[in-house]
Amino acid sequence: MAKLPTPQELVASRPDFPEQDWLDVKPQFTPGSYCYPAKKETMELLHMPNPHDWDPAAEDWNLPEDWEKILCDAFAERLEKHRSLKLFMDICVRCGACADKCHFFLGTNDPKNMPVLRAELLRSLYRRDYTMLGKILGKKVGARGWDKDVVKELFYYAYQCTECRRCSLFCPYGIDTAEITAIVRELLHEVGLGIHWIMDPVKNCSFTGNHLGIQPHSFVEIVEMLADDCETITGIRPKTPFNEKGHEILFITPSGDVFADPGIYTFMGYLMLFHELDLDYTFSTYASEGGNFGSFTTFNMAKKLNAKMYAEAERLGAKWILGGECGHMWRVINQYMATYNGPAPSCMMDVPTSPITGTKFTNAAATKMVHITEFTADLIKHNKLNLDPSRNDHIITTFHDSCNPARGMGLLEEPRYVLKAVCNNFVEMPENTIREQTFCCGAGSGLNTEEIMELRMRSGMPRGNALRYVQEKYGVNHMACVCAIDRATLPPLANYWAPGVTVSGLHELVANALVMKGECKRTMDLRQEDLPNVEPDETETQVEGQ
Amino acid sequence: MNALFQDQRDEIVNAWVEAVFNTYALETTGFLRTQNDPFANPVAHMTREAAGIVYDAVAGEDVDPAQVKKAIDRFVKLRAVQDGTPGQNLGVFLLLKPILRKMVLPRCSGSDALTSYYLEAESRLDSVMLLAFDMYTADRDIIAESRITEIRNQHAQLVRWAQKVGGSPLNPAGKE
Ligand code: SF4
Ligand code: SF4
């Protein structure tokens, strides 16, 4: 007679010495652990190689006939093209310094999510074909050949890395696992494997300019709706210049902030700030997405989407580009733009200069693109804004350093400077979770899709955990950030790990505190919720009294 | 009576923590054991936080359900999103039982009073398990809701705009 297993047997504590080596344990494609695949039509429209229908949970992924040759050739080509890749394959000494630094590893405890072993998935293939020892000794020295399970494994782990670069901070050789992941994703695209949440926005950005593929006239109307909201709150309707030639500045920000809550409040913050400054600027519908979704797919796609911004600046005759609160846009601008498309069009200004303060942003001389936080920090330093931080007195805020601005461009002080100027209560999260060491939101690099919410909650756990700590210890009830993906991914993360903490962009708080010339008495914040400490109007009280 | 459980508190708590760590892959347990920073090794910190209070509650110390819930909250949240079936993820609480039976039960032999005290302790572990079960399902509900909220939020302004211009079946006239 069969007996029920004991709880220990059910929980299946593993044996002391598992039979399988870590490299041989295959990932399980359970719902919630993988992203939905890109649609065949989308891939065809974008002229991606080998578009086909497939399902990550299925046994057969319908790979093209000669998939192994395609992958081997593609890998060889990348090794030839990117010297850094070859270096990363060769020089890792397996010291393990990076092993426990990845939020995916910390949340899943899956050894293959250790950066060193994540890279090893590709390195083992490299070893077989490109090292003498690997050729001779094979498996004994950790070399292996391509097979279909290896392809599946590469897919599984390349989309469990947010390319955040936290690991590379700790590597004595500076090995950038994020770039290895980027290459793996690129290789997978060669055999037609991509994910929907990335490829659909790539298609939309390519064809219509914004990530949802909203037609230009509708896009403008939505922005006007947001300007109407600004008027409701302040009595002033900010202007919304679109596609106008001859302005000094082209402003580009992620389109998510036009469509999604709570990003729209940050967008409204920009509108109000620029109106107050009477800034000589324009938006563009063609270049209305700053976030470079292409950078989650392939080098060429990233290059193409990046080029659009500069083509549009040139067409409109803008002297420089002001960029909004975005993550990947800034990584691409600071690390790759010059290689992709540099130098910037010669008609642009040598050194972008603030028309309000005269400050020359020499750091942006090559890219012609200034971060809005640098711009605003400079305004505050020169006393150009009338700010009333007490309007944000109902919040005790902390600041989440978004991976790309923090590690990809070193934007650490400016957001804090601005935040402290517009909020009276600011608390830092623990030292080993902020600034360069910041923990990812868990869903960057195109992983902010709802079907993997469960995975996002575990990869975002180290961030959520640090947030919860300051919530319990200091009563923090707000987290500011400078990235549109964060504004989408941190609210559910906070709701899970530290319920009660709201999330906003920096410029939402700036606009709350901004006292505009000729504004009506502010009683609401940008979310149209009551401001604290607002005395009721005398006239109103009288009317009520009567 | 409490001496029965108190004498070996640290050993038993550690043994349970080890049993939990052993549910993860071999390559990662060394790290879980050795790194003590609560932010650099949150899983171990959460597990240890839960272990201490769970043990005290089971041992019959003065611990009310709210305290237990608070102490196991992060741990249950973690288990609710990690790989594995609900049974496997919550079953870790029951891994305490064989440890108790090995280390505490033998000391009760011959005494009815001690034995019945021991059995009550095991029942209290069942209660902890039930509390955790409620929390686990609530956490899973949050995840399901988050998925819906996220879809709604992503297109929030689009829907508002569609209603305004008459593109919505609910509001064909385009009135706000
Ligand atoms: S880049 Fe980030 S997500 Fe990827 S392996 Fe490194 S730490 Fe992990
Ligand atoms: S820290 Fe660098 S050298 Fe050390 S294991 Fe990680 S990638 Fe390899």
Side-chain angles (χ1 to χ4, degrees):
Chain A
M1 259 203 301
K3 283 190 189 143
L4 267 185
T6 64
Q8 296 93 286
E9 283 160 352
L10 279 180
V11 176
S13 282
R14 55 159 179 75
D16 284 347
F17 292 98
E19 282 160 25
Q20 276 182 318
D21 186 47
W22 67 269
L23 193 58
D24 300 325
V25 179
K26 294 297 167 208
Q28 301 293 322
F29 284 82
T30 50
S33 69
Y34 60 86
C35 304
Y36 296 149
K39 290 196 182 116
K40 188 177 166 201
E41 309 88 81
T42 310
M43 299 293 243
E44 280 168 350
L45 270 172
L46 289 165
H47 307 291
M48 297 296 286
N50 295 304
H52 65 278
D53 290 317
W54 65 289
D55 171 9
E59 185 54 36
D60 186 354
W61 284 11
N62 307 329
L63 295 180
E65 196 103 325
D66 51 347
W67 62 271
E68 188 170 350
K69 180 172 185 324
I70 298 175
L71 286 169
C72 284
D73 291 352
F75 191 21
E77 194 195 316
R78 302 310 186 279
L79 284 165
E80 181 74 17
K81 183 169 163 193
H82 306 287
R83 286 195 47 183
S84 54
L85 177 64
K86 183 140 186 11
L87 210 63
F88 294 164
M89 291 293 106
D90 281 328
I91 63 173
C92 171
V93 292
R94 295 242 224 163
C95 71
C98 61
D100 57 354
K101 304 305 187 294
C102 173
H103 51 286
F104 275 97
F105 170 67
L106 294 178
T108 59
N109 290 293
D110 178 344
K112 286 182 187 168
N113 271 328
M114 291 178 184
V116 50
L117 298 191
R118 190 192 306 287
E120 198 67 17
L121 301 176
L122 187 64
R123 201 173 279 124
S124 55
L125 297 161
Y126 172 82
R127 221 170 259 137
R128 187 196 67 169
D129 293 340
Y130 297 93
T131 67
M132 190 56 81
L133 273 182
K135 275 180 196 154
I136 301 168
L137 295 174
K139 214 175 162 200
K140 283 203 190 73
V141 289
R144 61 173 177 172
W146 290 89
D147 66 38
K148 286 188 177 175
D149 280 338
V150 169
V151 175
K152 288 183 175 179
E153 182 177 58
L154 287 175
F155 176 83
Y156 191 82
Y157 290 101
Y159 290 95
Q160 288 202 18
C161 165
T162 46
E163 305 184 357
C164 78
R165 294 184 74 223
R166 187 171 194 266
C167 50
S168 76
L169 194 71
F170 297 89
C171 174
Y173 297 98
I175 293 177
D176 189 345
T177 307
E179 291 201 352
I180 299 178
T181 295
I183 294 286
V184 171
R185 289 188 185 185
E186 194 167 313
L187 295 180
L188 293 167
H189 272 293
E190 292 288 335
V191 286
L193 305 175
I195 69 167
H196 177 71
W197 175 245
I198 294 177
M199 296 317 290
D200 204 48
V202 165
K203 176 195 75 184
N204 292 332
C205 292
S206 300
F207 289 96
T208 42
N210 57 75
H211 83 286
L212 288 185
I214 302 305
Q215 295 297 318
H217 59 284
S218 314
F219 189 84
V220 173
E221 282 177 28
I222 296 175
V223 170
E224 284 174 348
M225 215 167 65
L226 298 178
D228 292 342
D229 287 349
C230 296
E231 187 176 9
T232 307
I233 296 158
T234 63
I236 298 170
R237 191 180 188 288
K239 55 184 182 180
T240 54
F242 263 102
N243 302 334
E244 292 176 7
K245 288 191 177 175
H247 291 289
E248 182 175 350
I249 298 167
L250 169 63
F251 180 69
I252 302 180
T253 201
S255 55
D257 284 346
V258 172
F259 305 122
D261 293 348
I264 53 162
Y265 307 113
T266 302
F267 192 88
M268 286 159 61
Y270 302 143
L271 290 178
M272 287 163 57
L273 176 69
F274 300 159
H275 188 91
E276 175 65 10
L277 297 170
D278 197 18
L279 198 68
D280 182 21
Y281 83 107
T282 183
F283 290 104
S284 153
T285 50
Y286 172 71
S288 56
E289 175 57 83
N292 193 322
F293 284 83
S295 66
F296 312 147
T297 62
T298 64
F299 187 95
N300 285 341
M301 197 60 86
K303 177 176 168 163
K304 180 178 101 176
L305 293 180
N306 174 260
K308 270 177 63 172
M309 309 203 307
Y310 289 90
E312 189 63 343
E314 192 169 16
R315 185 181 75 86
L316 295 172
K319 296 278 171 257
W320 54 281
I321 304 174
L322 181 60
E325 295 178 17
C326 181
H328 304 91
M329 168 166 82
W330 289 105
R331 165 93 156 272
V332 170
I333 294 295
N334 278 276
Q335 294 196 306
Y336 306 118
M337 182 271 172
T339 318
Y340 288 163
N341 296 310
S346 56
C347 58
M348 295 178 86
M349 194 172 214
D350 280 347
V351 180
T353 305
S354 168
I356 317 293
T357 64
T359 299
K360 286 185 181 307
F361 293 99
T362 45
N363 59 325
T367 63
K368 317 291 179 209
M369 194 155 168
V370 176
H371 196 291
I372 181 89
T373 309
E374 294 170 326
F375 179 73
T376 304
D378 175 61
L379 292 170
I380 294 172
K381 183 147 177 73
H382 287 89
N383 231 342
K384 297 292 182 193
L385 299 179
N386 186 2
L387 298 169
D388 176 4
S390 76
R391 287 186 189 156
N392 287 320
D393 270 355
H394 53 312
I395 62 175
I396 303 174
T397 188
T398 187
F399 180 69
H400 164 70
D401 292 273
S402 310
C403 307
N404 289 300
R407 281 190 283 269
M409 72 181 288
L411 190 86
L412 305 170
E413 299 306 333
E414 291 86 345
R416 288 176 168 81
Y417 180 78
V418 174
L419 193 53
K420 286 179 194 163
V422 301
C423 284
N424 289 322
N425 315 305
F426 170 67
V427 179
E428 289 278 18
M429 284 182 280
E431 201 183 355
N432 52 353
T433 72
I434 56 169
R435 295 179 179 260
E436 291 96 338
Q437 297 192 48
T438 185
F439 274 118
C440 181
C441 64
S445 80
L447 301 189
N448 54 323
T449 175
E450 51 81 22
E451 67 265 22
I452 54 162
M453 189 60 80
E454 179 181 316
L455 173 65
R456 287 166 48 187
M457 292 303 116
R458 52 181 185 262
S459 58
M461 179 272 287
R463 170 42 77 228
N465 183 48
L467 175 62
R468 182 186 174 111
Y469 172 78
V470 287
Q471 181 191 32
E472 284 178 352
K473 187 149 186 201
Y474 304 106
V476 164
N477 58 11
H478 190 94
M479 177 154 63
C481 60
V482 287
C483 168
I485 288 187
D486 283 335
R487 286 188 281 281
T489 61
L490 291 175
L493 189 74
N495 188 38
Y496 191 75
W497 288 104
V501 176
T502 48
V503 174
S504 82
L506 189 59
H507 278 77
E508 176 182 341
L509 302 179
V510 170
N512 273 340
L514 182 69
V515 181
M516 297 173 75
K517 293 183 273 295
E519 69 177 15
C520 65
K521 178 171 175 169
R522 292 255 207 123
T523 57
M524 295 182 276
D525 64 11
L526 262 59
R527 301 187 183 201
Q528 304 203 18
E529 285 161 11
D530 289 342
L531 276 178
N533 319 321
V534 176
E535 301 286 325
D537 257 347
E538 279 169 22
T539 44
E540 271 176 33
T541 334
Q542 272 170 13
V543 174
E544 274 168 27
Q546 285 163 5
Chain B
M1 200 75 80
N2 271 358
L4 181 65
F5 281 90
Q6 239 148 35
D7 289 352
Q8 309 176 83
R9 182 181 187 276
D10 291 351
E11 289 99 301
I12 297 174
V13 168
N14 278 339
W16 184 70
V17 168
E18 284 293 310
V20 176
F21 289 171
N22 281 342
T23 63
Y24 299 112
L26 175 69
E27 290 80 2
T28 71
T29 37
F31 160 70
L32 285 169
R33 278 194 202 118
T34 49
Q35 167 60 268
N36 285 323
D37 183 283
F39 305 104
N41 188 0
V43 169
H45 191 254
M46 290 170 186
T47 309
R48 293 204 176 96
E49 181 192 26
I53 288 277
V54 165
Y55 185 75
D56 292 342
V58 169
E61 298 289 327
D62 237 352
V63 186
D64 68 32
Q67 265 175 294
V68 176
K69 277 183 149 179
K70 190 166 179 302
I72 63 174
D73 187 50
R74 283 191 307 160
F75 181 69
V76 173
K77 275 185 189 297
L78 175 76
R79 301 293 301 189
V81 291
Q82 284 191 324
D83 272 345
T85 65
Q88 286 170 326
N89 284 332
L90 279 180
V92 285
F93 285 103
L94 299 181
L95 297 180
L96 185 55
K97 258 187 206 176
I99 301 171
L100 292 177
R101 286 182 193 171
K102 186 166 152 222
M103 297 176 74
V104 182
L105 187 59
R107 296 177 60 196
C108 306
S109 63
S111 159
D112 285 352
L114 283 178
T115 307
S116 95
Y117 190 81
Y118 175 83
L119 290 177
E120 281 165 25
E122 276 206 356
S123 298
R124 281 190 291 268
L125 180 59
D126 298 339
S127 303
V128 170
M129 178 79 192
L130 290 177
L131 287 178
F133 179 69
D134 287 348
M135 295 164 75
Y136 183 96
T137 47
D139 290 336
R140 296 296 308 182
D141 284 346
I142 296 177
I143 305 230
E145 271 165 35
S146 292
R147 293 182 63 178
I148 299 165
T149 311
E150 183 158 293
I151 296 173
R152 208 170 36 221
N153 283 352
Q154 263 164 19
H155 305 103
Q157 296 310 305
L158 210 55
V159 173
R160 199 175 143 210
W161 169 80
Q163 284 169 349
K164 196 169 167 166
V165 300
S168 152
L170 295 175
N171 191 10
K175 289 181 197 128
E176 270 198 279

